[in-house]
Amino acid sequence: MGLLWGLWTGELSPALPLALFYELFWLDLFAVGTYVPPNALLPLLCLLTLSHIMGLADPWILSVLALVLLPMAHLGTWLELRHRLWQISGYNRLLRAFRMGRSLEFVSSWALALSLVQLFFMNFLLFFVIAWASCPLLMMLVPFIPEMDHVPPLSSWTMLWAIGALGGLMALRIRRSFALFSLMAGAAALYGFVVG
C-alpha cells in the first residue's frame, strides 16, 4: 500500500519507510484460525493522508506520529471482528434463501458482494472519521515534538525501523536474537546521546 500511495502521490520517501515500519512491527502477529491481527493499513493510510495534508516530510516527526497512531490498528481489528459477527447473521440469511429454492450460485455471489460492500464502507467511514478527528489533534501535537536534526539516528528512518524490527525479532523466537538486538539498541542509544 505504501508503494501504491507513493506512486500515486509522488511521495515515495515517507510512504515506503512508514509502510516498512508498520509491516515489520506486526510481522510476528499473523492471521491463524480465528485470530485477527492488527490492521496495519488503517494507521498507515491515516498517517500518509495527514502528512500529505499537513506537508510533513521530516522522518523524526513522522516517526513519532507513527508511534502515536499505533493503537489505531486495533480499531481496524475491532471493526473486522464486528464485521465477522455481522456476517454470521448474513450466513443464516443465505441458508434461509437457499432452502427457499434460490440457486446456490446466486445466493453465494449475492452474499459475497454484500459483504465486500459492507466492509469497504465500514473501513472508509472509520478511516474518514479518524483522519478528520486526528488532523487537528496532530497539528497541535507537532509543535511539541523537539527537533532532532543533530542526532543522526533520530533524524532519519533508522530509529523507526529499529523499533519496527522488534516485530521481526519476535517472529524469530530465538533468545540470542533478543539479546543481540538489545545490545545493538543500547549501543545505538548510547551513540545518540554521545553525539547529541
Side-chain angles (χ1 to χ4, degrees), residues 24 29 52 68 80 88 106 128 134 143 149 157-158 176 179-180:
L24 281 173
L29 305 174
H52 182 74
V68 168
E80 189 172 339
I88 291 173
F106 171 78
F128 179 77
S134 58
D149 294 337
W157 298 108
T158 309
R176 288 181 190 159
L180 181 62

Side-chain angles (χ1 to χ4, degrees), residues 89-101 104 107:
S89 62
Y91 178 72
N92 293 334
R93 285 194 305 273
L94 183 142
L95 287 178
R96 281 195 300 272
F98 180 67
R99 289 177 183 152
M100 291 172 54
L104 181 60
V107 171

Side-chain angles (χ1 to χ4, degrees), residues 182-192:
S182 300
L183 184 65
M184 290 171 59
L190 182 63
Y191 173 77

